[in-house]
Amino acid sequence: MAVRPVVLALSASGEAVAHRVAALIGADVHGREGRVADAAAFFPNALDHARDLFAAGVPVVGVCASGILIRAVAPILSDKRTEPAVVSVSDDGAVVVPLLGGHRGANRLAVQIAEGLGAVAAVTTAGDVAMGAALDAPPEGYRLANPEDAKGAMVMMLSGAGMRIEGENIFGLEDTGGAVALCVSEELQHGSEARLVYHPQRFALGVGCARDAEPEVLWDLVQETLAEAGIAAGAVACVATIDLKADEPAVNQLAARLGVPLRLFTAEELEAQAARLATPSEVVFAEVGCHGVSEGAALAMGGDLVIPKRKNAVATCALTRSDAPLVSLKGRARGRLSVVGIGPGQASWRTPEASRLIADAEELVGYGLYIDLLGPLAAGKARSDFPLGGEEARCRYALERAAEGRNVALICSGDAGIYAMGALVFELLSRTPDAMGVSDAARRVDVVCTPGVSALQGAAARAGAPLGHDFCTISLSDLLTPRDDIIRRLHAAAEGDFVIAFYNPVSKTRRTLLAEAREILLKHRPADTPVMLASNLGRPEEHIRYRRLDALEVDEVDMLTVVLVGSSNSRLAALGEGPRMFTPRGYARKIDGDLAGPAGV
């Protein structure tokens, strides 16, 4: 499994078993607050925590009743092909039940736990029960070429068709000479419901190309090379190249289309293979510091060269073959920086994609409070905390850590692209090292951005529908924006009659701009224009209140408050729970017209 499982301990009666299970599978224990004494992280609500982990793609083993886990994840079940494993273990450790993700590791996990505890694994998946194997989940290092046929094949076998083994017997099943073939081959083979084809991933594909080469040109070269050699694409375990090509679109798209990892080596590491190269090149050495990229990268992965360098006008490729499938890959991965907005803080406002990126990350970087808001999702991960005011330092650090091949998540509140770190990351990437940018290696990392719930959206949702018509946001912080620019924007927004969300409305030393904004707005909209003050959105201490524009007082606003000022059309609706703010879009004219009747009277 790509992500380490988490073992949930809900009570003292199951705590000892939880720690035994965690030791068996190399997992952390997360414990219920007030009920479990020893854990790597604690959570207040079991249903919420199990649901958050599941949404993030984290395999969950709960030492608890199965029903608790079922109720936790039921609202977000979607695709069984992508959902993580969910396993329940009884408090006494006697029974282990794989609930979800049977073919994505849950069955194997349950059997491993049961064997370690001396328990019973209640595996109910038909293929596992009848045959002792899930045919759509081959052993690590083997790829099923026609997974769409697996269900039909298992139905045939369960109906008594029997099986026959062609090649290696990777499941250890008995060959009965039946109608369904399990074929293991490095060559391209035809598959069907009566013939499942598995490819052992013994080949490493080394590639090189000119800068900005057309992806299709490299793809075509690789396809032609594999076809001529009679090697199935599914038998390729990885794509390897020099680290200078980490950001090459053709190389990255090739790995993605083959569905395999990209592995990178330095010029020095590739030059260590110089004596084994079939076609060393002084030209290549003069350009990048090694005598061969494609052959050297393939050889650096291990095995022997079986396809020397093939080339066209802009690309090269070569293949090595190892005796066993390549499981533990050499080299390093391309670094990734995930720029993640976690919303205002509460887990229910954090998107599943954000949670998955955080779960996948090796290291978390950000303002310490924001990382703390992740709660148990951050447990067990390396973290680098930076203070407020250290924005540039934390972005540089995150990029350079990713440049070393790490998977790093830069944690921001709200949406990372709205008054947060997203823009600064790309500004640093756009600069060269001599222009105070980041290193060349950092400029080659994979940068992923994911949306978050912004303070503006959170405030608007709490208000009702204040953004029903045109709106804008203005930051009142003059630390990075000249004060005159802020004043100019205030006048423009006031004249345009926009609903306005003020970010960074005040600070300990900056108290005047909000008052000036109020006076500018009062020149263009009514004194009773509704203003919403939303503090600590999405947190237990959340506080919402409404004011008239002419009664807005700076002293009741702090740095954690979003100020939402209505347009001249915004108004409050009286509801049983209190007032709600909305901005009409024009439907009232249509409603009033309908009331007047067809003659307009």
mmCIF file with all atom_site columns, all heavy atoms in Angstrom, residues 366-368 370 385-395 421 424 477 479-480 504 559:
data_model
loop_
_atom_site.group_PDB
_atom_site.id
_atom_site.type_symbol
_atom_site.label_atom_id
_atom_site.label_alt_id
_atom_site.label_comp_id
_atom_site.label_asym_id
_atom_site.label_entity_id
_atom_site.label_seq_id
_atom_site.pdbx_PDB_ins_code
_atom_site.Cartn_x
_atom_site.Cartn_y
_atom_site.Cartn_z
_atom_site.occupancy
_atom_site.B_iso_or_equiv
_atom_site.pdbx_formal_charge
_atom_site.auth_seq_id
_atom_site.auth_comp_id
_atom_site.auth_asym_id
_atom_site.auth_atom_id
_atom_site.pdbx_PDB_model_num
ATOM 1   N N   . GLY A 1 366 ? 4.681  24.825 6.784  1.00 0.00 ? 366 GLY A N   1
ATOM 2   C CA  . GLY A 1 366 ? 3.707  25.891 6.896  1.00 0.00 ? 366 GLY A CA  1
ATOM 3   C C   . GLY A 1 366 ? 3.780  26.602 8.218  1.00 0.00 ? 366 GLY A C   1
ATOM 4   O O   . GLY A 1 366 ? 4.605  26.280 9.089  1.00 0.00 ? 366 GLY A O   1
ATOM 5   N N   . TYR A 1 367 ? 2.908  27.569 8.386  1.00 0.00 ? 367 TYR A N   1
ATOM 6   C CA  . TYR A 1 367 ? 2.722  28.235 9.666  1.00 0.00 ? 367 TYR A CA  1
ATOM 7   C C   . TYR A 1 367 ? 2.244  27.174 10.663 1.00 0.00 ? 367 TYR A C   1
ATOM 8   O O   . TYR A 1 367 ? 1.331  26.400 10.370 1.00 0.00 ? 367 TYR A O   1
ATOM 9   C CB  . TYR A 1 367 ? 1.706  29.352 9.484  1.00 0.00 ? 367 TYR A CB  1
ATOM 10  C CG  . TYR A 1 367 ? 1.294  30.080 10.736 1.00 0.00 ? 367 TYR A CG  1
ATOM 11  C CD1 . TYR A 1 367 ? 2.221  30.484 11.696 1.00 0.00 ? 367 TYR A CD1 1
ATOM 12  C CD2 . TYR A 1 367 ? -0.039 30.409 10.942 1.00 0.00 ? 367 TYR A CD2 1
ATOM 13  C CE1 . TYR A 1 367 ? 1.832  31.153 12.831 1.00 0.00 ? 367 TYR A CE1 1
ATOM 14  C CE2 . TYR A 1 367 ? -0.451 31.088 12.080 1.00 0.00 ? 367 TYR A CE2 1
ATOM 15  C CZ  . TYR A 1 367 ? 0.485  31.467 13.027 1.00 0.00 ? 367 TYR A CZ  1
ATOM 16  O OH  . TYR A 1 367 ? 0.090  32.134 14.155 1.00 0.00 ? 367 TYR A OH  1
ATOM 17  N N   . GLY A 1 368 ? 2.874  27.124 11.837 1.00 0.00 ? 368 GLY A N   1
ATOM 18  C CA  . GLY A 1 368 ? 2.619  26.037 12.776 1.00 0.00 ? 368 GLY A CA  1
ATOM 19  C C   . GLY A 1 368 ? 1.161  25.848 13.128 1.00 0.00 ? 368 GLY A C   1
ATOM 20  O O   . GLY A 1 368 ? 0.679  24.712 13.244 1.00 0.00 ? 368 GLY A O   1
ATOM 21  N N   . TYR A 1 370 ? -1.463 26.344 11.300 1.00 0.00 ? 370 TYR A N   1
ATOM 22  C CA  . TYR A 1 370 ? -2.192 25.693 10.216 1.00 0.00 ? 370 TYR A CA  1
ATOM 23  C C   . TYR A 1 370 ? -1.926 24.185 10.205 1.00 0.00 ? 370 TYR A C   1
ATOM 24  O O   . TYR A 1 370 ? -2.835 23.387 9.965  1.00 0.00 ? 370 TYR A O   1
ATOM 25  C CB  . TYR A 1 370 ? -1.798 26.294 8.863  1.00 0.00 ? 370 TYR A CB  1
ATOM 26  C CG  . TYR A 1 370 ? -2.099 27.764 8.713  1.00 0.00 ? 370 TYR A CG  1
ATOM 27  C CD1 . TYR A 1 370 ? -1.426 28.548 7.773  1.00 0.00 ? 370 TYR A CD1 1
ATOM 28  C CD2 . TYR A 1 370 ? -3.057 28.388 9.513  1.00 0.00 ? 370 TYR A CD2 1
ATOM 29  C CE1 . TYR A 1 370 ? -1.698 29.898 7.632  1.00 0.00 ? 370 TYR A CE1 1
ATOM 30  C CE2 . TYR A 1 370 ? -3.327 29.735 9.388  1.00 0.00 ? 370 TYR A CE2 1
ATOM 31  C CZ  . TYR A 1 370 ? -2.641 30.495 8.439  1.00 0.00 ? 370 TYR A CZ  1
ATOM 32  O OH  . TYR A 1 370 ? -2.909 31.826 8.306  1.00 0.00 ? 370 TYR A OH  1
ATOM 33  N N   . ASP A 1 385 ? 7.834  23.981 10.783 1.00 0.00 ? 385 ASP A N   1
ATOM 34  C CA  . ASP A 1 385 ? 6.979  25.106 11.136 1.00 0.00 ? 385 ASP A CA  1
ATOM 35  C C   . ASP A 1 385 ? 7.704  26.421 10.893 1.00 0.00 ? 385 ASP A C   1
ATOM 36  O O   . ASP A 1 385 ? 8.894  26.559 11.221 1.00 0.00 ? 385 ASP A O   1
ATOM 37  C CB  . ASP A 1 385 ? 6.573  25.030 12.606 1.00 0.00 ? 385 ASP A CB  1
ATOM 38  C CG  . ASP A 1 385 ? 5.687  23.830 12.903 1.00 0.00 ? 385 ASP A CG  1
ATOM 39  O OD1 . ASP A 1 385 ? 5.671  22.903 12.076 1.00 0.00 ? 385 ASP A OD1 1
ATOM 40  O OD2 . ASP A 1 385 ? 5.029  23.825 13.953 1.00 0.00 ? 385 ASP A OD2 1
ATOM 41  N N   . PHE A 1 386 ? 6.974  27.392 10.343 1.00 0.00 ? 386 PHE A N   1
ATOM 42  C CA  . PHE A 1 386 ? 7.513  28.725 10.116 1.00 0.00 ? 386 PHE A CA  1
ATOM 43  C C   . PHE A 1 386 ? 6.581  29.743 10.759 1.00 0.00 ? 386 PHE A C   1
ATOM 44  O O   . PHE A 1 386 ? 5.365  29.550 10.782 1.00 0.00 ? 386 PHE A O   1
ATOM 45  C CB  . PHE A 1 386 ? 7.643  29.014 8.617  1.00 0.00 ? 386 PHE A CB  1
ATOM 46  C CG  . PHE A 1 386 ? 8.778  28.302 7.953  1.00 0.00 ? 386 PHE A CG  1
ATOM 47  C CD1 . PHE A 1 386 ? 8.676  26.960 7.630  1.00 0.00 ? 386 PHE A CD1 1
ATOM 48  C CD2 . PHE A 1 386 ? 9.964  28.961 7.664  1.00 0.00 ? 386 PHE A CD2 1
ATOM 49  C CE1 . PHE A 1 386 ? 9.737  26.288 7.020  1.00 0.00 ? 386 PHE A CE1 1
ATOM 50  C CE2 . PHE A 1 386 ? 11.026 28.304 7.062  1.00 0.00 ? 386 PHE A CE2 1
ATOM 51  C CZ  . PHE A 1 386 ? 10.917 26.965 6.739  1.00 0.00 ? 386 PHE A CZ  1
ATOM 52  N N   . PRO A 1 387 ? 7.125  30.835 11.271 1.00 0.00 ? 387 PRO A N   1
ATOM 53  C CA  . PRO A 1 387 ? 6.277  31.842 11.932 1.00 0.00 ? 387 PRO A CA  1
ATOM 54  C C   . PRO A 1 387 ? 5.554  32.719 10.918 1.00 0.00 ? 387 PRO A C   1
ATOM 55  O O   . PRO A 1 387 ? 5.882  32.717 9.721  1.00 0.00 ? 387 PRO A O   1
ATOM 56  C CB  . PRO A 1 387 ? 7.294  32.654 12.734 1.00 0.00 ? 387 PRO A CB  1
ATOM 57  C CG  . PRO A 1 387 ? 8.539  32.595 11.891 1.00 0.00 ? 387 PRO A CG  1
ATOM 58  C CD  . PRO A 1 387 ? 8.554  31.203 11.310 1.00 0.00 ? 387 PRO A CD  1
ATOM 59  N N   . LEU A 1 388 ? 4.575  33.474 11.394 1.00 0.00 ? 388 LEU A N   1
ATOM 60  C CA  . LEU A 1 388 ? 3.974  34.506 10.562 1.00 0.00 ? 388 LEU A CA  1
ATOM 61  C C   . LEU A 1 388 ? 5.068  35.501 10.157 1.00 0.00 ? 388 LEU A C   1
ATOM 62  O O   . LEU A 1 388 ? 5.936  35.845 10.965 1.00 0.00 ? 388 LEU A O   1
ATOM 63  C CB  . LEU A 1 388 ? 2.873  35.246 11.339 1.00 0.00 ? 388 LEU A CB  1
ATOM 64  C CG  . LEU A 1 388 ? 1.542  34.513 11.515 1.00 0.00 ? 388 LEU A CG  1
ATOM 65  C CD1 . LEU A 1 388 ? 0.609  35.334 12.396 1.00 0.00 ? 388 LEU A CD1 1
ATOM 66  C CD2 . LEU A 1 388 ? 0.897  34.245 10.163 1.00 0.00 ? 388 LEU A CD2 1
ATOM 67  N N   . GLY A 1 389 ? 5.021  35.938 8.930  1.00 0.00 ? 389 GLY A N   1
ATOM 68  C CA  . GLY A 1 389 ? 6.068  36.818 8.421  1.00 0.00 ? 389 GLY A CA  1
ATOM 69  C C   . GLY A 1 389 ? 7.174  36.061 7.722  1.00 0.00 ? 389 GLY A C   1
ATOM 70  O O   . GLY A 1 389 ? 8.011  36.669 7.041  1.00 0.00 ? 389 GLY A O   1
ATOM 71  N N   . GLY A 1 390 ? 7.184  34.725 7.860  1.00 0.00 ? 390 GLY A N   1
ATOM 72  C CA  . GLY A 1 390 ? 8.216  33.921 7.215  1.00 0.00 ? 390 GLY A CA  1
ATOM 73  C C   . GLY A 1 390 ? 7.729  33.282 5.937  1.00 0.00 ? 390 GLY A C   1
ATOM 74  O O   . GLY A 1 390 ? 8.142  32.161 5.602  1.00 0.00 ? 390 GLY A O   1
ATOM 75  N N   . GLU A 1 391 ? 6.847  33.972 5.206  1.00 0.00 ? 391 GLU A N   1
ATOM 76  C CA  . GLU A 1 391 ? 6.210  33.373 4.032  1.00 0.00 ? 391 GLU A CA  1
ATOM 77  C C   . GLU A 1 391 ? 7.218  33.012 2.945  1.00 0.00 ? 391 GLU A C   1
ATOM 78  O O   . GLU A 1 391 ? 7.191  31.913 2.382  1.00 0.00 ? 391 GLU A O   1
ATOM 79  C CB  . GLU A 1 391 ? 5.146  34.323 3.467  1.00 0.00 ? 391 GLU A CB  1
ATOM 80  C CG  . GLU A 1 391 ? 3.896  34.443 4.314  1.00 0.00 ? 391 GLU A CG  1
ATOM 81  C CD  . GLU A 1 391 ? 4.070  35.387 5.492  1.00 0.00 ? 391 GLU A CD  1
ATOM 82  O OE1 . GLU A 1 391 ? 5.112  36.072 5.555  1.00 0.00 ? 391 GLU A OE1 1
ATOM 83  O OE2 . GLU A 1 391 ? 3.170  35.420 6.359  1.00 0.00 ? 391 GLU A OE2 1
ATOM 84  N N   . GLU A 1 392 ? 8.116  33.939 2.623  1.00 0.00 ? 392 GLU A N   1
ATOM 85  C CA  . GLU A 1 392 ? 9.092  33.654 1.569  1.00 0.00 ? 392 GLU A CA  1
ATOM 86  C C   . GLU A 1 392 ? 10.009 32.509 1.976  1.00 0.00 ? 392 GLU A C   1
ATOM 87  O O   . GLU A 1 392 ? 10.302 31.606 1.174  1.00 0.00 ? 392 GLU A O   1
ATOM 88  C CB  . GLU A 1 392 ? 9.919  34.899 1.252  1.00 0.00 ? 392 GLU A CB  1
ATOM 89  C CG  . GLU A 1 392 ? 10.930 34.670 0.131  1.00 0.00 ? 392 GLU A CG  1
ATOM 90  C CD  . GLU A 1 392 ? 11.783 35.897 -0.152 1.00 0.00 ? 392 GLU A CD  1
ATOM 91  O OE1 . GLU A 1 392 ? 11.376 37.020 0.218  1.00 0.00 ? 392 GLU A OE1 1
ATOM 92  O OE2 . GLU A 1 392 ? 12.868 35.721 -0.754 1.00 0.00 ? 392 GLU A OE2 1
ATOM 93  N N   . ALA A 1 393 ? 10.436 32.504 3.220  1.00 0.00 ? 393 ALA A N   1
ATOM 94  C CA  . ALA A 1 393 ? 11.337 31.457 3.703  1.00 0.00 ? 393 ALA A CA  1
ATOM 95  C C   . ALA A 1 393 ? 10.669 30.093 3.632  1.00 0.00 ? 393 ALA A C   1
ATOM 96  O O   . ALA A 1 393 ? 11.284 29.105 3.241  1.00 0.00 ? 393 ALA A O   1
ATOM 97  C CB  . ALA A 1 393 ? 11.781 31.760 5.133  1.00 0.00 ? 393 ALA A CB  1
ATOM 98  N N   . ARG A 1 394 ? 9.368  30.023 4.004  1.00 0.00 ? 394 ARG A N   1
ATOM 99  C CA  . ARG A 1 394 ? 8.717  28.712 4.006  1.00 0.00 ? 394 ARG A CA  1
ATOM 100 C C   . ARG A 1 394 ? 8.493  28.214 2.583  1.00 0.00 ? 394 ARG A C   1
ATOM 101 O O   . ARG A 1 394 ? 8.608  27.020 2.318  1.00 0.00 ? 394 ARG A O   1
ATOM 102 C CB  . ARG A 1 394 ? 7.424  28.757 4.813  1.00 0.00 ? 394 ARG A CB  1
ATOM 103 C CG  . ARG A 1 394 ? 6.190  29.243 4.120  1.00 0.00 ? 394 ARG A CG  1
ATOM 104 C CD  . ARG A 1 394 ? 4.958  29.174 5.008  1.00 0.00 ? 394 ARG A CD  1
ATOM 105 N NE  . ARG A 1 394 ? 4.959  30.206 6.028  1.00 0.00 ? 394 ARG A NE  1
ATOM 106 C CZ  . ARG A 1 394 ? 3.856  30.851 6.422  1.00 0.00 ? 394 ARG A CZ  1
ATOM 107 N NH1 . ARG A 1 394 ? 2.692  30.558 5.897  1.00 0.00 ? 394 ARG A NH1 1
ATOM 108 N NH2 . ARG A 1 394 ? 3.913  31.784 7.344  1.00 0.00 ? 394 ARG A NH2 1
ATOM 109 N N   . CYS A 1 395 ? 8.198  29.107 1.630  1.00 0.00 ? 395 CYS A N   1
ATOM 110 C CA  . CYS A 1 395 ? 8.018  28.682 0.234  1.00 0.00 ? 395 CYS A CA  1
ATOM 111 C C   . CYS A 1 395 ? 9.335  28.214 -0.368 1.00 0.00 ? 395 CYS A C   1
ATOM 112 O O   . CYS A 1 395 ? 9.381  27.204 -1.079 1.00 0.00 ? 395 CYS A O   1
ATOM 113 C CB  . CYS A 1 395 ? 7.423  29.819 -0.597 1.00 0.00 ? 395 CYS A CB  1
ATOM 114 S SG  . CYS A 1 395 ? 5.694  30.165 -0.238 1.00 0.00 ? 395 CYS A SG  1
ATOM 115 N N   . MET A 1 421 ? -0.035 31.349 -0.228 1.00 0.00 ? 421 MET A N   1
ATOM 116 C CA  . MET A 1 421 ? 1.305  31.047 -0.703 1.00 0.00 ? 421 MET A CA  1
ATOM 117 C C   . MET A 1 421 ? 1.387  30.652 -2.172 1.00 0.00 ? 421 MET A C   1
ATOM 118 O O   . MET A 1 421 ? 2.473  30.573 -2.731 1.00 0.00 ? 421 MET A O   1
ATOM 119 C CB  . MET A 1 421 ? 1.915  29.924 0.150  1.00 0.00 ? 421 MET A CB  1
ATOM 120 C CG  . MET A 1 421 ? 2.051  30.248 1.629  1.00 0.00 ? 421 MET A CG  1
ATOM 121 S SD  . MET A 1 421 ? 3.164  31.644 1.949  1.00 0.00 ? 421 MET A SD  1
ATOM 122 C CE  . MET A 1 421 ? 2.011  33.005 2.065  1.00 0.00 ? 421 MET A CE  1
ATOM 123 N N   . LEU A 1 424 ? 3.194  33.193 -4.410 1.00 0.00 ? 424 LEU A N   1
ATOM 124 C CA  . LEU A 1 424 ? 4.612  33.328 -4.063 1.00 0.00 ? 424 LEU A CA  1
ATOM 125 C C   . LEU A 1 424 ? 5.408  32.130 -4.568 1.00 0.00 ? 424 LEU A C   1
ATOM 126 O O   . LEU A 1 424 ? 6.549  32.287 -5.036 1.00 0.00 ? 424 LEU A O   1
ATOM 127 C CB  . LEU A 1 424 ? 4.761  33.474 -2.551 1.00 0.00 ? 424 LEU A CB  1
ATOM 128 C CG  . LEU A 1 424 ? 6.188  33.629 -2.015 1.00 0.00 ? 424 LEU A CG  1
ATOM 129 C CD1 . LEU A 1 424 ? 6.943  34.731 -2.730 1.00 0.00 ? 424 LEU A CD1 1
ATOM 130 C CD2 . LEU A 1 424 ? 6.154  33.867 -0.502 1.00 0.00 ? 424 LEU A CD2 1
ATOM 131 N N   . SER A 1 477 ? -4.124 45.034 3.981  1.00 0.00 ? 477 SER A N   1
ATOM 132 C CA  . SER A 1 477 ? -2.745 45.021 4.473  1.00 0.00 ? 477 SER A CA  1
ATOM 133 C C   . SER A 1 477 ? -1.853 45.792 3.514  1.00 0.00 ? 477 SER A C   1
ATOM 134 O O   . SER A 1 477 ? -1.821 45.511 2.311  1.00 0.00 ? 477 SER A O   1
ATOM 135 C CB  . SER A 1 477 ? -2.239 43.580 4.599  1.00 0.00 ? 477 SER A CB  1
ATOM 136 O OG  . SER A 1 477 ? -0.852 43.577 4.881  1.00 0.00 ? 477 SER A OG  1
ATOM 137 N N   . LEU A 1 479 ? 1.420  45.923 3.909  1.00 0.00 ? 479 LEU A N   1
ATOM 138 C CA  . LEU A 1 479 ? 2.788  45.415 4.034  1.00 0.00 ? 479 LEU A CA  1
ATOM 139 C C   . LEU A 1 479 ? 3.418  45.159 2.676  1.00 0.00 ? 479 LEU A C   1
ATOM 140 O O   . LEU A 1 479 ? 4.612  45.405 2.470  1.00 0.00 ? 479 LEU A O   1
ATOM 141 C CB  . LEU A 1 479 ? 2.799  44.126 4.867  1.00 0.00 ? 479 LEU A CB  1
ATOM 142 C CG  . LEU A 1 479 ? 2.490  44.266 6.355  1.00 0.00 ? 479 LEU A CG  1
ATOM 143 C CD1 . LEU A 1 479 ? 2.423  42.900 7.009  1.00 0.00 ? 479 LEU A CD1 1
ATOM 144 C CD2 . LEU A 1 479 ? 3.556  45.135 7.032  1.00 0.00 ? 479 LEU A CD2 1
ATOM 145 N N   . LEU A 1 480 ? 2.632  44.623 1.731  1.00 0.00 ? 480 LEU A N   1
ATOM 146 C CA  . LEU A 1 480 ? 3.153  44.279 0.410  1.00 0.00 ? 480 LEU A CA  1
ATOM 147 C C   . LEU A 1 480 ? 2.520  45.114 -0.703 1.00 0.00 ? 480 LEU A C   1
ATOM 148 O O   . LEU A 1 480 ? 3.018  45.120 -1.827 1.00 0.00 ? 480 LEU A O   1
ATOM 149 C CB  . LEU A 1 480 ? 2.910  42.787 0.125  1.00 0.00 ? 480 LEU A CB  1
ATOM 150 C CG  . LEU A 1 480 ? 3.559  41.808 1.094  1.00 0.00 ? 480 LEU A CG  1
ATOM 151 C CD1 . LEU A 1 480 ? 3.126  40.380 0.794  1.00 0.00 ? 480 LEU A CD1 1
ATOM 152 C CD2 . LEU A 1 480 ? 5.084  41.907 1.033  1.00 0.00 ? 480 LEU A CD2 1
ATOM 153 N N   . ASN A 1 504 ? -7.572 40.702 5.884  1.00 0.00 ? 504 ASN A N   1
ATOM 154 C CA  . ASN A 1 504 ? -6.562 41.411 6.680  1.00 0.00 ? 504 ASN A CA  1
ATOM 155 C C   . ASN A 1 504 ? -7.057 42.814 7.046  1.00 0.00 ? 504 ASN A C   1
ATOM 156 O O   . ASN A 1 504 ? -6.390 43.822 6.767  1.00 0.00 ? 504 ASN A O   1
ATOM 157 C CB  . ASN A 1 504 ? -5.238 41.517 5.905  1.00 0.00 ? 504 ASN A CB  1
ATOM 158 C CG  . ASN A 1 504 ? -4.750 40.186 5.382  1.00 0.00 ? 504 ASN A CG  1
ATOM 159 O OD1 . ASN A 1 504 ? -4.643 39.227 6.125  1.00 0.00 ? 504 ASN A OD1 1
ATOM 160 N ND2 . ASN A 1 504 ? -4.471 40.120 4.083  1.00 0.00 ? 504 ASN A ND2 1
ATOM 161 N N   . MET A 1 559 ? -7.579 40.369 13.479 1.00 0.00 ? 559 MET A N   1
ATOM 162 C CA  . MET A 1 559 ? -6.921 39.752 12.313 1.00 0.00 ? 559 MET A CA  1
ATOM 163 C C   . MET A 1 559 ? -7.622 38.487 11.841 1.00 0.00 ? 559 MET A C   1
ATOM 164 O O   . MET A 1 559 ? -7.413 38.040 10.714 1.00 0.00 ? 559 MET A O   1
ATOM 165 C CB  . MET A 1 559 ? -5.457 39.439 12.649 1.00 0.00 ? 559 MET A CB  1
ATOM 166 C CG  . MET A 1 559 ? -4.583 40.668 12.795 1.00 0.00 ? 559 MET A CG  1
ATOM 167 S SD  . MET A 1 559 ? -2.835 40.250 13.066 1.00 0.00 ? 559 MET A SD  1
ATOM 168 C CE  . MET A 1 559 ? -2.909 39.531 14.705 1.00 0.00 ? 559 MET A CE  1
#
